[in-house]
Amino acid sequence: MRREAFITAEEAHRAWLTAERIKRVADRLIGLGPFSIGLDGLLAPVPLAGTLFSLAAGAWLVREGFRARASAATLARMSFYVGFRTLASIVPIEGWLVDILFRGHMMAARALQKDIARRFGEPPQAAILEARRRPFAPRAAAPEALAT
């Protein structure tokens, strides 16, 4: 029996949208021309706060990957990205540069989103735009409801 048989498209799309919100908050909260910075980079100089945020956001992303029944390769790649990102934040100064320049959460979220899109397609465009516009808003009951 295939793994995706245990998850509905709606559940997969919710995971996709959650990854979009985490990506936005962690790495793209404030746009500065072609560059952006997220809560991850803003919290970098604050002792322990940046590391705890990185760990929590990364664990949430990996959890969403498990819930979406992502492939083992995708989960391993996601774990590497957020693990490296979190461990780097422990080191003062150089770690802060990694916090700002290495977008581990974004890379992990994209890996999960590609995995989900390959199996279920992307969620409706309206749901994606809403997740990008309001990343702190509670999740919608069903992404398909935003398509109408």
Side-chain angles (χ1 to χ4, degrees):
M1 196 170 214
R2 295 180 350 175
R3 287 180 63 143
E4 53 262 24
F6 295 104
I7 183 172
T8 66
E10 182 180 331
E11 291 168 325
H13 288 165
R14 280 190 184 149
W16 197 102
L17 294 170
T18 298
E20 186 67 27
R21 286 181 174 95
I22 294 170
K23 176 171 65 172
R24 175 79 174 189
V25 170
D27 291 324
R28 299 191 61 93
L29 196 57
I30 301 169
L32 305 168
F35 305 101
S36 63
I37 191 167
L39 206 50
D40 222 6
L42 295 173
L43 290 175
V46 180
L48 200 59
T51 302
L52 289 176
F53 174 80
S54 181
L55 182 62
W60 193 358
L61 272 171
V62 172
R63 180 179 147 255
E64 289 298 322
F66 275 105
R67 291 179 69 200
R69 310 290 195 273
S71 71
T74 298
L75 291 170
R77 192 171 47 220
M78 291 173 65
S79 297
F80 171 76
Y81 293 146
V82 298
F84 174 76
R85 168 63 199 81
T86 301
L87 289 175
S89 70
I90 294 171
V91 180
I93 313 279
E94 292 88 358
W96 300 344
L97 291 175
V98 172
D99 286 345
I100 294 169
L101 300 176
F102 181 71
R103 305 203 181 284
H105 295 97
M106 183 178 296
M107 294 164 66
R110 282 185 183 156
L112 175 58
Q113 289 172 325
K114 285 180 183 179
D115 185 285
I116 291 169
R118 182 178 41 79
R119 294 178 295 135
F120 298 98
E122 288 187 0
Q125 192 64 29
I128 294 170
L129 293 174
E130 181 67 15
R132 288 178 183 161
R133 194 179 71 217
R134 296 179 23 177
F136 294 108
R139 293 192 307 201
E144 287 73 17
L146 294 174
T148 58

